[in-house]
C-alpha cells in the first residue's frame, strides 16, 4: 500500500473500517436498503461528480478493497463507470466485423448486443474465484472484466481478406477494377468455430506456472505484439472510419455504391476524406481531451462515451445520422436471436492459436496491473493462483463466447484506470458493472443506436482507443533494459511489423508461383500468408524466436545472477528470523 506524505498536496479521506463482526447475508442486505449509511455512508460524492480544474487540489476518497463494505449508491455509480469505460471497446469490434463482412443492420445490431451480454456474463465468472482441485482455481477474485480482444480484431481482418480473395466469400469486380464485397455471415461462423477449438490452447497454458510463461514471453515479445496490434488497428480501421468509412469507399472508386461514404444512398454522403467528415471526427477527439482536462472523475472514466455523445449530437443536428437502424432494432433481445453456421476454417487455425497465446500474455499483464491497483501482493502463491485462475477463465471464456456468437473475450485493461481514479477495487462494483452490461445488451434499441453512430464520429474515438493500445505496448517495452541484444531483437521484429503496416500486400503473392497445389497445401499457404500479413503475429514470432536463440550479454547474465543471489540471501535471513 502506498503511503501519502504529510507534505503532499492531496489528502485522503479515512479508509473504510473493516467490520469485526460478520453478519448474515439477510442482515447485510436489510442494513443496505433500509439505512442512510447503507445507501450513502460518508463518502464525498461531490468529488466524484463535480468538474475539476487541472490545477485544483482535491481531497481523495478512501480506498475500497476487493471485499470491503461498500455503500449501495457508490457501488452502483462505480459499476456504471466501469460499464461506460468498457462500452467503446465492446461495441467497436462487432461494428468492424459486420462492416468487413457487409452484414445487414439487424445482424450487426444483434452482434453488438451479444458482445455486451457475453461480456457481462463472463466478467462475473472472471471476478469469481472458484476452487477446483488442489491449488487450481477459476477466476481472479479481482475486479477483472472481459471484452473482445483487439488481437482477434487485427487477425480477423487478414482472415476475412483471405476468404474474399480465395472465393470463400462472394465479391464482384467492376470494369474499373473496383472490388465490391458481398454479405458473408458464414465467414463469421468460421471465425467462431476456429476460435472455439483453439481456445483449448489457452486452457492448457493456464496450468503452466506463470513464471515459465513470463520467461518464454518476456516484455520484449508481449510489448512488441501490443504495440503492433494498436498501430495496425489505427491504420486499418480507426483513421479510415474518421475519413468516412473503411468499407471500400476509402479507395474513392469512380463507380458503384461506394463512390461516396458510407454509401451513395446514405444521409449526407460525401467522398472519403471530406472536411465535414474530418471535422466530425476531430470534434469527438477534442471532446475526449477536454473531458480529461475539466471533467469530474466520473466523466473522465467515461471520456470515450462523452466523445461519442458530443459527436452524435452534432452529427444528428446536421443530418448525418440514419435512424433506420434504431427503428428496426427490437426493443428486447438476447443471445441466439441470430445464429451463425459454426465451422472451422483450417487456414485460420495457426493465426488463432497465436491470438490465444497473445491473449494469455495480455491476461497475465492485466491481472498483475489489477492486483497492483487493488493493493493485492503481486508475488507468492496467492498471486500465482490468481494468474492461473484468470488465464483459465480466459480460455474457458474463449470457448463459451464462441457459443454465445461472440469472438474471444479476454481480460480488459481499461478498468484498471477506473480503479486507480475512483480508488474502488470492490467486486460489488464489478458485479453492478456486469448487470449494466447485460441490461444494455438486452435493450436492442441501444445496440441500434450504437450502429447508427456515423463513421467519422466512431473513427475519431476508436483512433484514440487503438492508439491507447499502442501506448500500452510502449509502456511494456519500457520495462526492458535496451541492451544491444534487446535493440537487435526489437529492430528485427519491427522490420516485419512496420513493413506490414506500410505495405500490407507485400506477402500476398508469395505463393503465386506454386502450380496447382492440392487443397491441404493451399490451406497451409493461406495460413502462412495470414500470419505474415498480420503485423503483430509476424513481429511477435520474430521477437519470440530471436529472444530464445540469441545469447544474453555476459554482463546481463551477471546482473541476473546477482539479483537471484540477493533474493536468496533475503529469503534465508527471513527464515532465520522466523526460527
Amino acid at each position: 500500500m502506498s503511503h501519502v506524505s504529510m507534505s503532499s498536496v492531496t489528502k485522503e479521506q479515512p479508509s473504510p473500517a473493516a467490520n469485526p463482526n460478520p453478519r448474515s447475508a439477510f442482515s447485510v442486505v436489510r442494513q443496505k436498503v433500509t439505512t442512510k449509511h447503507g445507501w450513502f455512508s460518508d463518502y464525498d460524492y461531490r468529488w466524484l461528480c463535480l468538474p475539476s480544474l487541472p490545477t485544483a487540489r482535491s481531497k481523495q476518497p478512501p480506498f475500497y478493497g476487493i471485499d470491503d463494505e461498500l455503500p449501495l449508491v457508490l457501488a452502483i455509480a462505480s459499476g456504471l463507470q466501469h460499464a461506460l469505460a468498457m462500452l467503446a471497446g465492446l461495441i467497436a469490434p462487432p461494428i468492424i466485423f459486420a462492416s468487413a463482412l457487409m452484414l445487414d443492420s439487424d445482424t450487426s445490431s444483434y452482434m453488438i448486443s451479444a458482445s455486451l451480454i457475453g461480456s457481462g456474463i463472463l466478467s462475473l465468472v472472471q471476478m469469481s474465484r472458484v476452487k477446483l482441485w488442489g491449488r487450481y482455481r477459476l477466476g481472479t477474485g479481482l475486479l477483472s472484466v472481459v471484452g473482445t480482444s483487439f488481437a482477434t480484431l487485427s487477425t480477423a481482418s487478414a482472415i476475412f481478406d483471405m476468404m474474399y480473395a480465395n472465393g470463400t466469400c462472394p465479391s464482384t469486380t467492376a470494369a474499373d477494377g473496383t472490388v465490391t464485397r458481398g454479405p458473408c455471415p458464414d465467414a463469421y461462423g468460421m471465425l467462431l468455430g476456429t476460435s472455439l477449438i483453439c481456445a483449448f490452447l489457452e486452457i492448457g497454458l493456464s496450468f503452466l506456472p506463470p513464471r515459465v510463461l513470463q520467461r518464454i514471453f518476456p516484455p520484449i515479445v508481449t510489448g512488441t505484439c501490443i504495440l503492433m496490434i494498436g498501430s495496425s488497428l489505427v491504420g486499418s480501421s480507426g483513421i479510415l472510419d474518421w475519413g468516412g468509412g473503411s468499407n471500400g469507399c476509402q479507395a474513392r472508386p469512380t463507380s458503384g455504391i461506394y463512390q461516396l461514404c458510407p454509401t451513395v444512398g446514405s444521409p449526407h454522403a460525401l467522398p472519403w476524406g471530406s472536411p465535414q467528415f474530418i471535422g466530425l471526427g476531430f470534434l469527438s477527439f477534442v471532446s475526449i481531451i477536454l473531458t480529461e482536462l475539466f471533467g469530474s472523475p466520473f466523466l473522465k472514466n467515461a471520456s470515450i462515451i462523452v466523445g461519442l455523445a458530443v459527436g452524435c449530437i452534432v452529427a444528428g443536428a446536421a443530418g448525418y445520422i440514419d435512424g433506420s437502424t434504431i427503428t428496426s432494432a427490437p426493443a428486447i433481445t438476447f443471445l441466439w436471436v441470430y445464429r451463425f453456421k459454426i465451422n472451422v476454417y483450417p487456414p485460420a487455425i495457426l493465426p488463432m492459436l497465436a491470438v490465444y497465446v497473445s491473449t494469455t500474455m495480455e491476461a497475465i499483464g492485466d491481472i498483475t496491473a489489477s492486483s497492483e491497483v487493488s493493493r493485492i501482493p503481486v508475488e507468492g502463491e496467492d498471486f500465482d493462483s490468481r494468474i492461473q485462475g484468470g488465464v483459465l477463465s480466459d480460455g474457458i471464456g474463449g470457448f463459451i463466447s464462441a457459443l454465445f456468437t461472440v469472438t474471444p473475450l479476454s481480460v480488459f485493461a481499461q478498468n484498471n484506470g477506473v480503479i486507480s481514479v475512483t480508488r474502488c477495487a470492490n467486486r460489488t462494483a464489478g458485479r453492478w458493472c456486469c448487470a449494466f452490461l447485460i441490461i444494455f445488451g438486452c435493450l436492442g434499441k441501444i445496440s441500434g443506436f450504437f450502429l447508427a453512430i456515423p463513421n467519422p464520429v466512431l473513427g475519431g474515438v476508436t483512433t484514440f482507443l487503438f492508439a491507447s493500445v499502442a501506448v500500452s505496448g510502449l509502456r511494456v517495452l519500457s520495462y526492458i533494459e535496451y541492451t544491444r541484444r534487446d535493440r537487435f531483437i526489437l529492430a528485427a521484429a519491427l522490420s516485419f511489423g512496420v513493413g506490414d503496416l506500410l505495405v500490407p500486400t507485400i506477402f500476398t503473392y508469395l505463393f503465386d508461383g506454386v502450380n496447382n497445389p492440392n487443397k491441404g497445401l493451399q490451406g497451409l499457404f493461406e495460413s502462412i500468408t495470414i500470419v505474415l500479413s498480420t503485423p503483430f503475429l509476424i513481429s511477435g514470432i520474430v521477437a519470440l524466436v530471436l529472444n530464445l536463440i540469441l545469447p544474453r550479454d555476459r554482463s546481463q547474465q551477471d546482473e541476473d545472477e546477482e539479483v537471484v543471489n540477493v533474493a536468496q540471501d533475503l529469503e534465508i535471513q527471513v527464515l532465520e528470523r522466523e526460527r
Side-chain angles (χ1 to χ4, degrees):
M1 182 181 297
S2 61
H3 298 278
V4 180
S5 63
M6 294 300 292
S7 60
S8 175
V9 297
T10 303
K11 297 181 180 180
E12 297 185 5
Q13 299 179 23
S15 297
N19 188 354
N21 300 316
R23 296 169 294 170
S24 66
F26 175 76
S27 62
V28 170
V29 172
R30 184 177 63 180
Q31 187 269 340
K32 286 284 186 185
V33 300
T34 60
T35 65
K36 180 179 178 181
H37 181 79
W39 277 94
F40 301 100
S41 185
D42 54 356
Y43 187 86
D44 185 6
Y45 292 92
R46 293 176 300 175
W47 174 87
L48 184 65
C49 300
L50 292 180
S52 61
L53 296 175
T55 57
R57 299 181 181 183
S58 61
K59 184 180 180 181
Q60 290 190 346
F63 180 84
Y64 289 90
I66 56 176
D67 292 318
D68 289 341
E69 186 176 348
L70 194 65
L72 194 56
V73 170
L74 181 59
I76 296 173
S78 297
L80 181 59
Q81 288 181 84
H82 281 279
L84 293 177
M86 296 173 64
L87 271 183
L90 290 175
I91 68 173
I95 292 175
I96 294 172
F97 289 143
S99 176
L101 296 175
M102 304 299 166
L103 303 183
D104 59 79
S105 61
D106 291 342
T107 305
S108 304
S109 177
Y110 163 76
M111 290 169 62
I112 297 173
S113 294
S115 177
L116 295 170
I117 296 171
S119 174
I121 294 174
L122 293 178
S123 292
L124 287 172
V125 177
Q126 187 64 269
M127 282 183 232
S128 67
R129 203 178 179 203
V130 180
K131 184 175 178 58
L132 301 177
W133 67 88
R135 59 187 177 86
Y136 298 112
R137 296 179 181 269
L138 176 65
T140 63
L142 303 170
L143 205 171
S144 300
V145 294
V146 301
T148 302
S149 170
F150 290 142
T152 306
L153 186 58
S154 179
T155 306
S157 176
I159 294 173
F160 294 155
D161 289 343
M162 180 60 69
M163 289 182 178
Y164 278 102
N166 63 20
T168 303
C169 292
S171 62
T172 58
T173 304
D176 61 355
T178 302
V179 177
T180 302
R181 293 182 173 184
C184 191
D186 288 350
Y188 189 69
M190 292 180 187
L191 180 66
L192 295 178
T194 308
S195 168
L196 187 146
I197 64 169
C198 292
F200 288 102
L201 174 63
E202 187 170 7
I203 294 174
L205 290 175
S206 69
F207 295 102
L208 293 177
R211 293 182 181 179
V212 173
L213 294 175
Q214 291 171 332
R215 188 174 302 169
I216 300 174
F217 305 102
I220 196 169
V221 176
T222 57
T224 301
C225 289
I226 298 172
L227 173 62
M228 287 293 100
I229 289 171
S231 301
S232 62
L233 289 175
V234 168
S236 65
S237 177
I239 206 70
L240 293 181
D241 282 334
W242 190 334
S246 57
N247 57 356
C249 66
Q250 71 271 20
R252 301 185 71 146
T254 57
S255 62
I257 63 172
Y258 299 119
Q259 294 182 69
L260 302 177
C261 289
T263 61
V264 293
S266 302
H268 276 274
L270 296 167
W272 187 86
S274 296
Q276 295 91 329
F277 288 158
I278 302 299
L280 275 177
F282 185 73
L283 177 63
S284 299
F285 194 92
V286 170
S287 298
I288 298 173
I289 297 174
L290 293 178
T291 303
E292 184 66 26
L293 279 173
F294 303 109
S296 65
F298 186 95
L299 287 180
K300 287 181 180 180
N301 290 325
S303 60
I304 299 294
I305 297 300
V306 172
L308 285 175
V310 172
C312 286
I313 290 172
V314 175
Y320 285 88
I321 293 182
D322 182 4
S324 61
T325 58
I326 304 174
T327 304
S328 62
I332 302 294
T333 188
F334 198 67
L335 300 172
W336 307 298
V337 172
Y338 284 84
R339 291 183 289 268
F340 302 89
K341 295 179 182 178
I342 299 295
N343 205 339
V344 176
Y345 184 57
I349 293 177
L350 183 60
M352 288 305 298
L353 289 174
V355 166
Y356 275 105
V357 171
S358 175
T359 58
T360 301
M361 295 303 100
E362 290 179 25
I364 293 175
D366 292 342
I367 294 168
T368 303
S370 297
S371 298
E372 289 177 344
V373 297
S374 301
R375 302 185 179 181
I376 299 295
V378 290
E379 57 185 3
E381 292 185 3
D382 181 75
F383 173 69
D384 287 347
S385 73
R386 294 186 189 275
I387 293 289
Q388 176 273 317
V391 175
L392 178 59
S393 179
D394 239 26
I396 294 176
F399 181 89
I400 295 177
S401 64
L403 301 179
F404 285 174
T405 65
V406 181
T407 51
L409 297 170
S410 61
V411 178
F412 248 25
Q414 288 94 325
N415 296 72
N416 294 330
V418 180
I419 295 173
S420 63
V421 171
T422 61
R423 301 169 59 80
C424 178
N426 196 278
R427 288 188 294 175
T428 302
R431 296 184 184 105
W432 277 104
C433 166
C434 297
F436 280 118
L437 291 176
I438 295 172
I439 292 171
F440 292 159
C442 290
L443 298 177
K445 296 295 183 183
I446 293 180
S447 298
F449 171 77
F450 288 143
L451 195 60
I453 296 175
N455 286 334
V457 174
L458 184 66
V461 168
T462 54
T463 297
F464 179 88
L465 185 65
F466 297 150
S468 299
V469 176
V471 172
S472 297
L474 292 175
R475 180 177 179 274
V476 174
L477 288 174
S478 69
Y479 295 145
I480 67 177
E481 298 179 356
Y482 282 101
T483 61
R484 184 181 184 279
R485 177 180 180 275
D486 293 339
R487 296 195 303 272
F488 184 90
I489 293 173
L490 192 57
L494 293 182
S495 297
F496 285 90
V498 176
D500 263 350
L501 286 176
L502 299 179
V503 188
T505 59
I506 183 173
F507 298 114
T508 303
Y509 314 104
L510 188 61
F511 299 106
D512 282 3
V514 180
N515 296 322
N516 301 320
N518 59 42
K519 188 175 181 180
L521 190 60
Q522 182 62 36
L524 176 62
F525 290 162
E526 292 176 358
S527 182
I528 295 174
T529 302
I530 292 172
V531 171
L532 292 175
S533 301
T534 306
F536 93 89
L537 289 181
I538 182 59
S539 59
I541 291 173
V542 171
L544 173 64
V545 172
L546 290 180
N547 183 67
L548 292 176
I549 65 175
L550 283 181
R552 291 181 176 272
D553 297 337
R554 182 61 188 172
S555 59
Q556 187 174 354
Q557 291 179 351
D558 293 340
E559 289 178 2
D560 293 342
E561 292 175 0
E562 184 178 352
V563 170
V564 172
N565 292 333
V566 170
Q568 291 175 346
D569 292 340
L570 290 174
E571 185 177 357
I572 292 172
Q573 293 175 13
V574 171
L575 292 174
E576 290 178 349
R577 289 176 183 175
E578 290 178 350
R579 290 173 184 172

